[in-house]
Amino acid sequence: MFKKKLAFVLICLVLIVSACGPSDETTTEGNSGGKAVKLTFTEPARLLSVAPLYVAIEQGFFEKEGIEAEIVSGGGGAQVIASVLSGEAQFAVSGPRSMFTPLDKGEELMAIQSLNSALTYQITLSEQYQKKKNVSKDSSFEDRVASLNGATIGTNLVGDSGDVYTRYLMQMHGVDPDTLKTVKLAGDGSKIGGMQEGIVDGGIASPPMGLQAESKDVGEIVINTSEEPMYGNMVWEAVFAKKEYLEKNQETSLKVVRAIGKGMEFTRNNPREAAQSIVSYFDGIDVDILEESLIGLKNTFKGYGEMNQEAWDNAQDPLVEFGKLSGVSTKQDTTEDVIWTNSYIEEAFKK
């Protein structure tokens, strides 16, 4: 009788332990004594267009959601995808291009938020080149795009998104994209240095590179790509993950969307405080330049990161058009809830 009772107790203990076994999420004790979910976000590089994510961390929005967020930065889009597919990172924050190649290979990914509602690239031209082309930021948009004919421009990587979207912009405005020469100059400092040395005529980058160049009297922001209507409605720096992870961890995913959405709202409404809170993320960049850059990005931090099909098409079409450069050859179905969804935002911020 005693043996039967002992066996029953052991079986109950096994069932209890099994029920409390590890989940897909790693937890750690939080300051409140509760359990904080530890999440890793991966990004291709340190980018100011991703500022709402950094602000959400520094302003405690993730902490309030019970999340301990870590960012792994660097390695470009390939590293972003490798980290998410391997499970080393639960979420990626990167341009849509990072999603398209693995989607083409059958990977199941889903974007749940877009940090920017427009393309954030700026094209800065050196003073010398502007004089040569007789163009300035006050020239007509057509003339400014036309000035790229024959230009040598620095970009992070030849064939990267900056390269592709610039060529497509030229093509839309009747300028032969083949006349553009791009040179690999990774990082803002190297692009500015390249302009100073006359190695390149300008540089393609998101803020704050252009304002840095202007502060050094090296060049001037001549083109904001979002001036082009197509690029003014475009998914950029999307938050995405494996569909399987999202389905298994819906509550955590809702908390992520809510924290980043609050980060977008705070950055939009409090650019000075936002800049001050993330200045440590950008070594050597003055907080005033960060603030001015965030003010310039304000209109791209729209809502809580809602997306639309046209914005996805606008992101995808140039990549497919210049498939030999981008590596994106197949068009994905951009219908809502196929590779992107607003459902997490709607649920996270429902009234």
Side-chain angles (χ1 to χ4, degrees), residues 9-232:
V9 170
L10 289 173
I11 290 171
C12 289
L13 286 172
V14 168
L15 291 172
I16 291 170
V17 170
S18 299
C20 298
S23 68
D24 289 341
E25 299 165 345
T26 304
T27 59
T28 184
E29 290 296 324
N31 295 330
S32 64
K35 295 231 174 175
V37 179
K38 295 179 75 173
L39 295 178
T40 299
F41 294 80
T42 178
E43 62 176 5
R46 190 47 41 91
L47 303 163
L48 194 61
S49 46
V50 180
L53 171 63
Y54 312 148
V55 170
I57 293 173
E58 297 304 315
Q59 292 296 324
F61 298 137
F62 277 108
E63 186 179 357
K64 288 177 183 176
E65 295 291 343
I67 293 173
E68 183 181 329
E70 176 188 14
I71 301 175
V72 176
S73 185
Q79 184 59 46
V80 163
I81 289 302
S83 297
V84 168
L85 294 182
S86 69
E88 292 178 10
Q90 289 74 44
F91 292 92
V93 182
S94 185
R97 178 181 180 177
S98 297
M99 287 183 62
F100 290 133
T101 300
L103 285 169
D104 192 31
K105 294 179 180 178
E107 301 290 350
E108 294 194 336
L109 301 170
M110 177 72 77
I112 59 175
Q113 196 169 29
S114 179
L115 272 68
N116 309 107
S117 61
L119 186 63
T120 61
Y121 284 130
Q122 296 175 326
I123 301 173
T124 303
L125 297 179
S126 69
E127 291 184 350
Q128 182 179 357
Y129 188 74
Q130 289 180 70
K131 290 177 182 177
K132 176 183 175 182
K133 290 286 187 171
N134 191 28
V135 68
S136 74
K137 63 182 179 183
D138 296 322
S139 302
S140 69
F141 189 63
E142 292 293 331
D143 286 345
R144 284 179 280 146
V145 175
S147 73
L148 298 176
N149 186 10
T152 299
I153 302 292
T155 189
N156 287 336
L157 186 68
V158 174
D160 67 3
S161 294
D163 190 349
V164 171
Y165 289 123
T166 299
R167 292 180 190 275
Y168 194 83
L169 176 67
M170 294 170 68
Q171 182 171 283
M172 281 193 292
H173 291 269
V175 184
D176 184 358
D178 290 336
T179 65
L180 180 71
K181 179 182 178 182
T182 50
V183 176
K184 179 183 177 181
L185 291 175
D188 293 351
S190 60
K191 295 181 185 70
I192 294 170
M195 283 187 274
Q196 287 175 317
E197 298 297 323
I199 297 170
V200 292
D201 301 314
I204 305 164
S206 291
M209 193 277 283
L211 286 178
Q212 287 180 281
E214 289 185 357
S215 71
K216 298 177 186 293
D217 295 322
V218 173
E220 187 176 55
I221 301 168
V222 173
I223 297 173
N224 282 290
T225 55
S226 60
E227 294 179 80
E228 166 56 47
M230 176 180 175
Y231 290 165

